[in-house]
Amino acid sequence: MSDTIRSLSTSGLATKKQVECWSDALTDLCGRFDVDPLEGVTFEGRIHFTTVSKLKLCQIEASQHRIAHTFSRARSSEHPYIKILFQTYGVSYFEQEGRHIEIGPGDCLAYDVSCPHTIVSPGLTRHEVVIVPKDLLRERGFRLEKMSACKLSARSGTARIAHEFAHAAFDEANRLSPNSAAGVADSLIDLLLLPLREADAMFDRGGPEAMYVRAQGFIREHLRDPELSIDQISAALGCTKRYLHMVFSDRGMTVSDYIWRARLQHCRQELETQCGKTITDVAFSWGFSSSSHFSRVFRKYFGVVPSAVHKAAART
């Protein structure tokens, strides 16, 4: 089964111990922070958190406070996370790299945890958080050098769907098998990226297009290799098979469809121009390993058998 839901509360502790407890809890989740209860006599905070595969999911409630991840603590290698925060109650003020963002109920904020930042909450706040390892975003074409804090509305559209899915994933986390948890995590990441792509803030629009061009080039260079596969392509391009599937499916085809169509087009061109070659020679030279399979897919794609094209070319 997936991880159980764990809880932490500062209730009943001395103020100094409350701050220490809260700082330790944040450290376990995503990095060391300075915590200031502002003018509060006490600091009341509660966290419920769990994991779904490689994702951390949290539900947090806290009284007035300020947290700061300072330059002295900012080492991206130590905190390689993107945090996606859904505010459900109260108002908070976020600052990072000179940007000041107010977030209230219904807002979503996505930002790089490793970059120095502060969050001030002058009153009681509640939010739900998904903490995503950067490596999982790199696999999907995410360019970390383009990362900047991004505020979105989760009141409607894809951000609302992503929030509701994250909430349901949290509730069901301890009932998921490891395989199911991995699938839920993949789906949640893809859902979270939808509003970010639409906003053109965190996700580089050129990413999928650039990956498609690179994939086309690799396929062209290895088209004659009968072992050419999506595993080989994804490994060469440094992306996951899932992301590669997404890049091609956005264009109405699978990776395999693209490969076979490209091979068939080259085969037809050679059958029409190089009459000295046999049909089998042409097929095998472009990665086919079965004459019958080649004839079948050729006819399905072009509507004629390869022998008809070959004979027609010989007569001209």
Side-chain angles (χ1 to χ4, degrees):
M1 302 296 287
S2 186
D3 207 348
T4 58
I5 294 175
R6 290 164 287 173
S7 299
L8 178 145
S9 173
T10 66
S11 181
L13 301 176
T15 301
K16 183 177 180 181
K17 191 65 177 178
Q18 287 177 325
V19 170
E20 292 176 356
C21 178
W22 197 252
S23 179
D24 290 343
L26 295 179
T27 299
D28 290 341
L29 289 171
C30 58
R32 173 63 65 176
F33 289 83
D34 295 323
V35 179
D36 180 358
L38 300 177
E39 297 178 356
V41 177
T42 63
F43 173 76
E44 298 292 336
R46 282 173 288 280
I47 298 179
H48 305 289
F49 59 99
T50 188
T51 60
V52 175
S53 189
K54 296 180 180 180
L55 302 182
K56 299 178 183 179
L57 277 62
C58 317
Q59 294 181 349
I60 303 174
E61 178 179 287
S63 59
Q64 65 182 48
H65 70 289
R66 174 184 182 271
I67 62 171
H69 181 53
T70 63
F71 279 97
S72 62
R73 302 185 190 278
R75 296 181 182 178
S76 59
S77 60
E78 291 182 359
H79 314 302
Y81 303 110
I82 299 301
K83 182 184 284 188
I84 300 174
L85 179 153
F86 296 95
Q87 191 94 354
T88 60
Y89 185 87
V91 177
S92 298
Y93 300 92
F94 175 89
E95 189 276 327
Q96 187 178 61
E97 295 183 321
R99 296 189 65 201
H100 299 266
I101 301 174
E102 178 180 331
I103 48 177
D107 289 334
C108 170
L109 180 70
Y111 60 96
D112 186 340
V113 176
S114 67
C115 185
H117 62 279
T118 62
I119 303 177
V120 176
S121 300
L124 177 68
T125 54
R126 298 189 189 100
H127 46 264
E128 300 181 4
V129 176
V130 182
I131 300 172
V132 187
K134 291 180 179 179
D135 286 347
L136 298 183
L137 299 179
R138 287 192 185 96
E139 292 174 355
R140 289 162 170 79
F142 181 78
R143 296 178 63 181
L144 294 174
E145 65 271 20
K146 296 289 186 179
M147 179 66 193
S148 60
C150 173
K151 175 182 172 181
L152 302 163
S153 172
R155 299 173 185 85
S156 61
T158 55
R160 179 183 175 185
I161 294 171
H163 181 205
E164 291 178 352
F165 191 97
H167 187 90
F170 182 93
D171 288 345
E172 300 298 324
N174 62 351
R175 300 179 182 90
L176 300 175
S177 67
N179 285 340
S180 295
V184 168
D186 282 342
S187 297
L188 178 53
I189 294 171
D190 291 339
L191 280 173
L192 291 168
L193 284 174
L194 285 175
L196 297 173
R197 292 179 191 170
E198 291 169 0
D200 195 26
M202 208 174 80
F203 194 96
D204 178 22
R205 288 186 183 272
E209 184 62 33
M211 182 62 71
Y212 182 65
V213 171
R214 290 176 61 204
Q216 284 181 306
F218 184 88
I219 290 170
R220 282 196 300 270
E221 293 175 8
H222 299 84
L223 200 56
R224 293 182 183 272
D225 180 4
E227 301 300 320
L228 179 63
S229 66
I230 188 170
D231 297 82
Q232 183 182 355
I233 299 166
S234 62
L237 300 184
C239 68
T240 64
K241 292 187 290 183
R242 182 184 179 87
Y243 181 68
L244 204 56
H245 276 304
M246 183 273 289
V247 168
F248 279 79
S249 65
D250 283 350
R251 291 157 178 81
M253 71 186 85
T254 66
V255 178
S256 180
D257 287 339
Y258 182 90
I259 292 172
W260 292 117
R261 289 176 189 177
R263 284 174 170 166
L264 288 169
Q265 289 165 356
H266 281 287
C267 286
R268 178 159 190 166
Q269 183 180 12
E270 286 198 5
L271 290 174
E272 291 175 339
T273 59
Q274 300 184 30
C275 301
K277 288 187 175 182
T278 67
I279 294 174
T280 300
D281 289 338
V282 171
F284 278 53
S285 71
W286 284 104
F288 290 90
S289 55
S290 166
S291 297
S292 59
H293 175 250
F294 169 67
S295 295
R296 185 165 58 252
V297 295
F298 189 99
R299 181 173 184 174
K300 181 178 180 180
Y301 186 67
F302 293 113
V304 296
V305 294
S307 57
V309 175
H310 196 236
K311 289 177 182 177
R315 290 196 295 267
T316 59

